[in-house]
Amino acid sequence: IDERSYVKLTLMPNMNSCVKYNLCMLVTAELPKTPYTSPFKETIKEKFDRIALADPTFTSDSPVYMEIGGDLYTTILKTNTIQVDGGALVAQDSALGWLVMGSFSG
């Protein structure tokens, strides 16, 4: 017997309701989880103040309630990137808004 629980949902960005992803996601006790031990300085967020971020509060230590898999991640990516701090931080354009990745001290 499969005792796992799933939920169906529609994922779409705030800025463009034409883009929609219908998902079936596994409900797990491993979420929510806190990604950082403390919030980052606002100066990190200011480096990206001219682009529409997928998560405008990415510097917060708020819990993460949903993770997407590689199957959806590769589907939402666009080709535009912006490098910040000599390439230590990269913003990648996506269908959900710009994604920030890389390493920095907060």
Side-chain angles (χ1 to χ4, degrees):
I1 297 176
D2 186 358
E3 295 185 22
R4 297 184 290 182
S5 297
Y6 294 88
V7 61
K8 290 183 180 182
L9 59 95
T10 300
L11 177 67
M12 58 189 180
N14 290 330
M15 66 244 167
N16 183 355
S17 60
C18 295
V19 176
K20 294 180 182 181
Y21 298 94
N22 294 314
L23 306 173
C24 182
M25 302 189 82
L26 173 66
V27 177
T28 176
E30 295 175 18
L31 293 175
K33 62 183 175 185
T34 305
Y36 318 118
T37 55
S38 61
F40 291 101
K41 294 177 186 173
E42 284 296 310
T43 55
I44 298 297
K45 188 176 176 181
E46 291 168 3
K47 296 174 187 276
F48 303 100
D49 63 354
R50 294 190 175 133
I51 57 177
L53 297 172
D55 179 7
T57 63
F58 78 97
T59 57
S60 165
D61 61 345
S62 297
V64 172
Y65 291 94
M66 183 176 79
E67 293 178 341
I68 62 171
D71 54 342
L72 177 60
Y73 181 75
T74 56
T75 302
I76 66 171
L77 290 181
K78 295 182 179 180
T79 58
N80 299 330
T81 60
I82 299 171
Q83 294 187 0
V84 176
D85 290 343
L89 290 173
V90 176
Q92 172 90 44
D93 196 8
S94 83
L96 301 176
W98 288 80
L99 308 171
V100 177
M101 59 197 95
S103 62
F104 53 96
S105 57

